[in-house]
Amino acid sequence: MKTTENNKCRKCNGIGKPSKGYVNFHNIRTMYKEDEFETKLLNCLKCEKCGNSWIPETDTNKINKRLEYLRQELEAERISYGELAELQSLADHIDKNDVQLLEAAGVPENLNNKND
Ligand SMILES: [Zn+2]
């Protein structure tokens, strides 16, 4: 696999291989009797060397458009679980100053499973 910016590990510059990772999402809606944490299997890249995993950047414009759409849904208070999960999966792409989206995304510390 050729090395591109998209599959280069940010930690060690190793090469990320396509993988699937379990990500724990914190359910922010508690009105439903659902588990507090939801685990989803996402496509990701996993570093061969250090095991760091991340969601590859695809089309940044597309992601930004998607984030704006999700923001609208959030503001209209009609965002669905699926969309929230999507927002969480895009947390890396949210601007650091965008508190609104970051809070909604729950900002997982990283994509590796770590128990609180
Ligand atoms: Zn690495």
Side-chain angles (χ1 to χ4, degrees), residues 20-25 38-41 46 51 53 110-116:
K20 287 189 186 284
Y22 285 101
V23 183
N24 282 322
F25 293 111
E38 194 181 4
T39 305
K40 285 187 180 295
L41 188 61
K46 191 175 173 81
S53 56
N110 54 50
L111 295 174
N112 299 319
N113 272 342
K114 274 189 181 167
N115 294 323
D116 289 336

Side-chain angles (χ1 to χ4, degrees), residues 9 12 14 47 50 52:
C9 176
C12 73
C47 177
C50 73
N52 178 36

Side-chain angles (χ1 to χ4, degrees), residues 9-15 47-52 54:
C9 176
R10 280 178 244 173
K11 288 188 178 171
C12 73
N13 284 332
I15 297 170
C47 177
E48 290 180 300
K49 285 186 187 171
C50 73
N52 178 36
W54 66 95

Side-chain angles (χ1 to χ4, degrees), residues 20-76:
K20 287 189 186 284
Y22 285 101
V23 183
N24 282 322
F25 293 111
H26 194 186
N27 272 335
I28 63 171
R29 291 188 190 184
T30 53
M31 68 185 92
Y32 303 108
K33 288 181 180 171
E34 302 204 18
D35 291 340
E36 191 182 358
F37 289 95
E38 194 181 4
T39 305
K40 285 187 180 295
L41 188 61
L42 297 178
N43 289 316
C44 65
L45 292 174
K46 191 175 173 81
C47 177
E48 290 180 300
K49 285 186 187 171
C50 73
N52 178 36
S53 56
W54 66 95
I55 296 181
E57 292 189 26
T58 46
D59 183 337
T60 310
N61 282 337
K62 203 164 135 189
I63 289 172
N64 286 339
K65 271 188 186 170
R66 196 65 192 157
L67 285 175
E68 287 315 306
Y69 165 78
L70 293 170
R71 185 199 307 282
Q72 282 172 27
E73 296 298 287
L74 191 67
E75 284 176 352

